[in-house]
Amino acid sequence: MRLPLLAALATGIALPALAESWDDTVAAAKGQTVYWNAWGGDERTNDFIAWASDELEAEYGVTIQQVKLTDTAEAVTRVIAEKAAGQTMGGSVDMIWINGANFLSMKEQGLLHGPFLHDLPNAKYLDLSDGSAAVVDFTIPTEGYESPWRLAKFVLTHDSARVAEPPKSMAALLDWSKANPGRVTHPAVSNFMGATFLKQALSELTPDAGVLQGEATDEAFAEATAPLWAWYDDLRPTLWREGTTFPENESVLQQMLNDGEVDFAMAFDPAAAAAAVERGLLPETVRSYAPEGGSIGNISFVAIPYNAAHKEGAMVVANFLLDPATQARAQDITVLGSYSVLDPAKLDDEAGAAFAALPSSPALPTNEALGRTLNEPHPSWMTRIAEEWARRYTE
């Protein structure tokens, strides 16, 4: 294990030696089952993980057992509990799909194995330069303790048969909702997607978006979010059911759009709507788009807990997820439709051709149409926004 010595001493963790070359890692991984704790709310993602398990078993003798989460914090809490119980080896969590506050919490508590990213052969396809999206997670440097696996970006989806000219900003969405009451809603703010909707609005409405890159102190939070709450106070009574109840998650909201109950859905995946059309879950007239001023985006990562029972297997899985063929399959809208995390400049002609040949869709926005990527706020903002929203609107 390559956990820095000072971190190891600080946590009191006894560190076993791991394989020293990639060939040794692959050999040690053979026969391992990797318990990958990952959000289980999307059928396409679950199917993709099952496919990856079949491929890995055939090539490396490694299988994936997906532990389906409703909240990443479930897995983090499990690792914390195991540490408290003195279980520093043989932990139940081998790999976590993780981002933001959960990563920061595990990193600060010395609960991560690594750094391991640079040990993965397929990391050569990433842009690992300072400040790149592949090495920063919600403003937090990953320092090799996470490996990227999919790109996410906030988009709105509408049915062009019902809404010919959709609002292109959060301010314009308020105006549209006032003119069309009951036709807009968002997922519950306790859900990641609902909180992301508010973060997008905050990024657009706050007078100084740069402050969002630092920790949300009491003073900074009050000043930066004042325009957000004023906007939401106006928006809430125009929402579906007057903002008294909300769909559980983006999947439920997508079904509401399909049923004609509302006119907009949202996702943190620009290809989600196109993939849903492909599966017959949305009409062919839906279109996804990003707000004209840019949309919040980030890379999703996988991390390995310090006490994982199958670290070698988890590293083999992480490396497989970075293989250009895997990334091309993931970006295929008939499969998953998740934009690739790889740097196109680092791909050879064969790998580049695989991406160029992927199917398209009218519901799929081009990279140009997606526009500017807005930086994720510091993890503390998402936590405080959800807490403040609950205090203001549910208590």
Side-chain angles (χ1 to χ4, degrees), residues 66-92:
Q66 183 185 359
V67 180
K68 296 179 181 178
L69 306 175
T70 57
D71 190 324
T72 305
E74 298 169 22
V76 178
T77 299
R78 200 173 304 131
V79 177
I80 292 173
E82 289 176 352
K83 179 184 177 183
Q87 188 175 354
T88 59
M89 297 176 63
S92 62

Side-chain angles (χ1 to χ4, degrees), residues 251-272:
S251 298
V252 176
L253 180 55
Q254 177 183 283
Q255 184 62 50
M256 292 171 65
L257 174 63
N258 185 64
D259 294 343
E261 197 167 357
V262 294
D263 289 324
F264 293 89
M266 59 194 67
F268 211 53
D269 174 359

Side-chain angles (χ1 to χ4, degrees), residues 58-378:
E59 186 168 354
Y60 298 104
V62 173
T63 57
I64 299 171
Q65 177 65 55
Q66 183 185 359
V67 180
K68 296 179 181 178
L69 306 175
T70 57
D71 190 324
T72 305
E74 298 169 22
V76 178
T77 299
R78 200 173 304 131
V79 177
I80 292 173
E82 289 176 352
K83 179 184 177 183
Q87 188 175 354
T88 59
M89 297 176 63
S92 62
V93 180
D94 291 318
M95 194 167 79
I96 307 175
W97 175 2
I98 197 167
N99 274 101
N102 288 304
F103 169 67
L104 178 61
S105 175
M106 294 193 75
K107 186 182 180 189
E108 289 181 338
Q109 296 181 69
L111 298 177
L112 295 173
H113 164 60
F116 70 91
L117 177 61
H118 292 276
D119 294 334
L120 307 181
N122 288 332
K124 66 183 179 182
Y125 297 114
L126 297 168
D127 176 4
L128 298 178
S129 60
D130 288 345
S132 78
V135 297
V136 177
D137 185 351
F138 286 69
T139 77
I140 308 301
T142 64
E143 298 179 327
Y145 287 90
E146 292 182 304
S147 178
W149 84 283
R150 61 190 292 180
L151 179 65
K153 197 166 183 179
F154 176 82
V155 291
L156 290 164
T157 299
H158 69 105
D159 188 340
S160 63
R162 298 199 302 264
V163 181
E165 293 294 334
K168 296 296 180 66
S169 70
M170 289 300 175
L173 181 66
L174 170 59
D175 292 338
W176 193 94
S177 191
K178 285 181 176 180
N180 302 272
R183 304 301 298 171
V184 173
T185 189
H186 60 80
V189 175
S190 58
N191 176 266
F192 169 81
M193 195 67 248
T196 298
F197 172 70
L198 293 183
K199 283 194 302 179
Q200 175 69 33
L202 174 64
S203 296
E204 292 188 34
L205 298 170
T206 190
D208 179 14
V211 74
L212 305 180
Q213 297 303 294
E215 189 169 356
T217 63
D218 290 347
E219 181 179 358
F221 185 81
E223 182 176 353
T225 59
L228 171 68
W229 305 127
W231 170 84
Y232 194 83
D233 285 343
D234 287 343
L235 177 68
R236 187 187 181 200
T238 74
L239 296 176
W240 174 74
R241 295 188 178 176
E242 298 181 339
T244 58
T245 188
F246 300 90
E248 181 181 357
N249 53 45
E250 65 184 272
S251 298
V252 176
L253 180 55
Q254 177 183 283
Q255 184 62 50
M256 292 171 65
L257 174 63
N258 185 64
D259 294 343
E261 197 167 357
V262 294
D263 289 324
F264 293 89
M266 59 194 67
F268 211 53
D269 174 359
V277 171
E278 183 70 26
R279 291 191 169 201
L281 300 176
L282 283 174
E284 294 184 357
T285 49
V286 300
R287 302 289 184 269
S288 289
Y289 67 98
E292 60 186 359
S295 63
I296 286 178
N298 66 42
I299 282 179
S300 286
F301 296 87
V302 293
I304 304 170
Y306 81 97
N307 67 340
H310 308 111
K311 297 183 181 71
E312 298 91 351
M315 290 175 66
V316 169
V317 173
N319 188 64
F320 175 81
L321 294 173
L322 292 176
D323 188 284
T326 304
Q327 288 283 306
R329 180 178 177 84
Q331 189 166 313
D332 187 336
I333 59 173
T334 66
V335 177
L336 181 56
S338 177
Y339 280 50
S340 174
V341 299
L342 305 183
D343 182 351
K346 296 183 181 294
L347 301 179
D348 58 25
D349 291 343
E350 181 180 357
F355 284 97
L358 292 176
S360 188
S361 164
L364 188 68
T366 65
N367 286 333
E368 293 76 19
L370 284 175
R372 188 163 63 100
T373 300
L374 304 179
N375 289 331
E376 280 280 7
H378 185 276

